C-alpha cells in the first residue's frame, strides 16, 4: 500500500461516562474507498467527527500524509483537504446551492475597482457547473435549499466537497435518504473520486452499497474495532457476524 493519505492511530473518545470509541485505528490510501460499518451506536459518526475536527479525540493520533494533525474545528480540517458530508447534512436551509457551496469561504470581488462585495455570479456559476458535473438537475438553482428533496440536498453537500477538491471525502450514510437512481449516482460518483486518487471513507448500513464501491471494510462494534477485511476477500455473512459479534 502507498503511503496513507490519512491514518488514525489508537483513537479513543468518551462523552463523560460513555466510551464512544476505544483504541480504534484506520488508514486510507490514495484512491482507496474504506467502508465503515457497524450497528446503530457503534461509534461510526463519532469516529468521522473526530477525523473532521468536530470532536477532539480523548486520546490517540490522526495523521495526514504522515504528519500529525490536531484540528480545532471542521474549518481547519477542510482547509487541509478533508471534506465531510454529515448524516445530518449541515446545509444552511435558507441559502441557495451556490451560497451553500461557498458557505464560510465566500468569493469576493471588487465593485468600482475597490469595494469588496460578494461575487454572486461566481457562486451561481460554480453551483451550476458542480451540479452538472454530478449529473444532478434541479429547476431553480437560486432557490433556498430548503425547497429541495433529501436526495437533492445530499447532492449539494457532495457537490460542495467536489468543488473544493477535497483529497479525503468522508460520507456518513450518503445514500440512506435517496431513491434508487440517486443512490446509483452517488455510488458512481464515489468510483469517480476513487479514480481521481482521492481517499473516501464511506459509512453505510447498506451492505450492497458497501460491496459495490469499497476496497476495504472496517467494522465497529460498541466503540471497538471488531474487524477489518478486504472487500474482495469477505462476504455479507462474515461482515454481519463481525457487526453483531458472538
Ligand atoms: N455528543 C454526544 N454526547 C454523548 N454521547 C454521544 C454523543 N455522540 C454520540 N454519543 C454516543 O456515542 C455512541 C456512538 O454514537 P455514534 O453516533 O458515533 O454511533 P453511530 O455508529 O454513528 O450510529 P448510527 O448508525 O445510529 O448513526 C452512542 O452510544 C452515542 O449515544
Ligand atoms: Mg451515525
Amino acid at each position: 500500500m502507498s503511503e496513507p493519505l490519512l491514518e488514525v492511530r489508537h483513537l479513543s473518545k468518551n462523552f463523560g461516562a460513555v466510551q464512544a470509541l476505544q483504541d480504534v485505528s484506520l488508514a486510507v490510501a490514495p484512491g482507496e474507498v474504506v467502508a465503515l460499518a457497524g450497528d446503530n451506536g457503534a461509534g461510526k459518526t463519532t469516529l468521522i467527527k473526530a477525523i473532521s475536527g468536530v470532536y477532539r479525540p480523548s486520546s490517540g493520533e490522526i495523521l495526514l500524509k504522515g504528519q500529525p494533525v490536531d484540528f480545532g474545528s471542521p474549518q481547519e480540517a477542510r482547509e487541509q483537504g478533508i471534506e465531510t458530508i454529515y448524516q445530518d447534512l449541515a446545509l444552511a436551509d435558507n441559502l441557495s446551492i451556490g451560497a451553500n457551496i461557498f458557505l464560510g469561504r465566500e468569493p469576493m470581488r471588487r465593485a468600482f475597482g475597490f469595494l469588496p462585495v460578494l461575487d454572486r455570479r461566481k457562486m451561481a456559476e460554480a453551483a451550476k457547473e458542480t451540479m452538472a458535473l454530478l449529473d444532478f438537475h434541479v429547476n431553480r438553482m437560486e432557490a433556498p435549499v430548503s425547497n429541495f428533496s433529501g436526495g437533492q440536498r445530499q447532492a449539494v453537500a457532495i457537490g460542495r466537497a467536489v468543488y473544493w477538491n477535497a483529497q479525503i471525502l468522508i460520507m456518513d450514510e450518503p445514500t440512506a435518504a435517496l431513491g434508487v437512481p440517486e443512490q446509483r449516482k452517488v455510488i458512481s460518483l464515489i468510483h469517480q473520486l476513487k479514480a481521481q486518487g482521492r481517499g473516501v471513507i464511506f459509512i453505510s448500513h447498506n451492505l450492497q452499497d458497501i460491496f459495490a464501491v469499497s476496497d476495504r471494510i472496517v467494522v465497529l462494534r460498541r466503540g471497538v474495532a471488531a474487524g477489518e477485511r478486504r472487500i474482495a476477500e469477505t462476504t455479507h455473512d462474515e461482515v454481519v457476524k463481525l457487526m453483531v459479534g458472538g
Side-chain angles (χ1 to χ4, degrees):
M1 179 158 117
S2 48
E3 192 200 19
L5 275 175
L6 176 80
E7 235 188 308
V8 172
R9 290 185 189 162
H10 306 295
L11 191 138
S12 297
K13 175 70 187 173
N14 59 287
F15 299 102
V18 177
Q19 186 81 45
L21 290 172
Q22 198 179 342
D23 196 25
V24 173
S25 297
L26 173 90
V28 184
E32 191 180 34
V33 180
V34 177
L36 200 52
D39 238 336
N40 295 121
K44 305 179 297 295
T45 297
T46 303
L47 177 57
I48 59 123
K49 285 189 169 173
I51 295 169
S52 59
V54 177
Y55 299 142
R56 272 221 158 85
S58 305
S59 64
E61 254 194 322
I62 298 170
L63 297 95
L64 203 56
K65 295 180 185 157
Q67 298 299 313
V69 288
D70 178 22
F71 301 131
S73 68
Q75 180 81 14
E76 283 180 34
R78 264 187 231 125
E79 281 162 10
Q80 304 270 335
I82 301 178
E83 287 279 345
T84 306
I85 299 159
Y86 297 105
Q87 205 166 13
D88 41 22
L89 273 183
L91 295 179
D93 279 344
N94 54 332
L95 299 180
S96 67
I97 294 177
N100 267 285
I101 287 178
F102 285 95
L103 199 62
R105 291 179 282 201
E106 288 82 0
M108 304 301 283
R109 65 181 176 87
R110 305 237 165 226
F112 312 114
F114 65 95
L115 200 62
V117 292
L118 208 56
D119 193 342
R120 290 182 193 284
R121 185 188 294 170
K122 180 171 181 184
M123 287 174 30
E125 277 166 9
K128 215 170 126 192
E129 280 168 25
T130 306
M131 300 315 282
L133 191 72
L134 301 189
D135 200 24
F136 275 88
H137 301 282
V138 293
N139 292 328
R140 292 177 53 232
M141 288 296 293
E142 44 333 304
V145 297
S146 58
N147 289 17
F148 297 152
S149 74
Q152 290 167 332
R153 294 157 55 83
Q154 194 78 48
V156 173
I158 294 171
R160 178 167 59 191
V162 169
Y163 179 82
W164 289 100
N165 198 24
Q167 289 312 295
I168 296 168
L169 275 98
I170 304 177
M171 303 184 186
D172 197 347
E173 311 227 25
T175 56
L178 303 186
V180 174
E182 283 88 0
Q183 282 178 18
R184 294 233 171 97
K185 278 180 192 161
V186 171
I187 295 299
S188 82
L189 177 67
I190 293 174
H191 280 296
Q192 232 172 290
L193 299 168
K194 175 181 161 62
Q196 293 164 352
R198 302 175 209 252
V200 178
I201 300 177
F202 171 63
I203 297 181
S204 180
H205 286 280
N206 184 332
L207 289 183
Q208 220 161 327
D209 282 355
I210 288 177
F211 275 70
V213 80
S214 313
D215 299 292
R216 264 184 314 126
I217 180 168
V218 172
V219 180
L220 294 180
R221 186 167 70 234
R222 292 195 219 142
V224 177
E228 183 178 330
R229 296 287 186 276
R230 299 203 57 78
I231 285 294
E233 293 164 5
T234 188
T235 60
H236 287 219
D237 265 3
E238 189 185 26
V239 169
V240 171
K241 280 188 185 125
L242 287 172
M243 284 168 60
V244 300

